[in-house]
Amino acid sequence: MTSARELYRRTVAELAPAAAENRLVELVEAGEAPREALRRIAGEEHRIIRSDRRSFALLAARFADRGRAAPFFLGLAAGEGEALGLLTPFATAVGLSPADLDTYRSRPAAQTYPHYLAWLSQSGALADTVLALLANFGFWGGYCARLAAALPRHYGLSAEATAFFAFFAALPPGFESDALALLQSALDDGESAEQARHAARLMQAYEAAFWAAVL
C-alpha cells in the first residue's frame, strides 16, 4: 500500500533542487529587482487569486462525496478571498490602483499555474490535485516568506503592504494533515501515485514559469 506521507516526502525531495532557484526572489533580496517586476506580481496575482478561488470552489463541489474534501477545498477558497483583500495594499504601494489592476493585461506564461489548477478542478483526479497542492504550497510559501522579509528592507514597504506575502508564508492551519488524509484516501481507492507525482511536477513547473514571466 502506498503511503501518502512517503509519496509527499519523495515528491518534495525531487522538486526541491530546482525550486530552490528563484531569480526574482533573489533579486528582491539583493534590492536589485525593478519595481516594474513588483507591479507585475500584483497584476498577475490579482487574476490568479480570483481564478484559484473559483477552482477551489469547483473542487469542493466535485469531490463533495470524498471524505472531508469539500471543507478542505472550501477553506482554501476562503483563504484566496482573504488574500485578495491583502493584495490591494501591496498593489497600491508599488504604484497600481484598483483601476490599474482591473485593466492589467497578463503575460501568458504567468498564468499557466491557475490555468492548470482550473483544469485539475474540472478533470483531475483527487490524488493528482492534492499532491500537486501539497508539494507546491511549501515552495510558494517559502518564496512569500523571503519577499515579506526583503520588501520592507530594500523597498520601504510597510507591514500592511507586505501582508499578502506574510499571509502565504505559512501553510493554513491543518492544511498538511488534512491534505495527507485526503491523499491517502485517494491512493487507497486505487488512484495512481505516479500520475499524482507527474501532476506535482507540472504544478511546480508552472510555478517557476510565473516567476520567470514577471521578471
Side-chain angles (χ1 to χ4, degrees), residues 37-214:
L38 304 182
R39 286 190 281 273
R40 283 192 287 271
I41 291 175
E44 300 293 349
E45 284 295 338
H46 185 246
R47 182 184 182 98
I48 289 169
I49 292 168
R50 291 177 296 160
S51 175
D52 287 356
R53 182 170 57 178
R54 289 190 293 269
S55 293
F56 290 136
L58 179 55
L59 284 161
R62 269 192 70 207
F63 295 120
D65 61 346
R66 300 287 293 274
R68 292 189 52 76
F72 174 77
F73 288 118
L74 286 176
L76 294 181
E80 295 297 314
E82 186 174 350
L84 189 61
L86 297 174
L87 181 65
T88 300
F90 170 66
T92 300
V94 297
L96 291 183
S97 68
D100 293 329
L101 290 175
D102 288 338
T103 58
Y104 177 85
R105 293 295 176 257
S106 294
R107 295 186 168 191
Q111 294 296 317
T112 52
Y113 178 103
H115 287 189
Y116 184 53
L117 182 56
W119 182 88
L120 285 172
S121 74
Q122 297 179 69
S123 303
L126 181 60
D128 299 0
T129 305
V130 173
L131 183 60
L133 292 172
L134 256 174
N136 175 256
F137 273 23
F139 297 126
W140 159 250
Y143 302 145
C144 287
R146 292 165 65 184
L147 291 174
L151 287 168
R153 183 166 64 246
H154 294 297
Y155 296 84
L157 270 62
S158 67
E160 180 186 18
T162 57
F164 172 82
F165 299 104
F167 175 77
F168 283 116
L171 292 174
F175 170 80
E176 185 174 294
S177 60
D178 290 347
L180 285 171
L182 281 177
L183 178 58
Q184 189 65 63
S185 174
L187 295 171
D188 291 347
D189 286 344
E191 295 188 16
S192 168
E194 186 51 44
Q195 181 176 303
R197 288 182 71 188
H198 181 60
R201 294 185 196 108
L202 289 177
M203 185 72 91
Q204 193 56 34
Y206 297 141
E207 173 78 30
F210 165 80
W211 294 103
V214 295

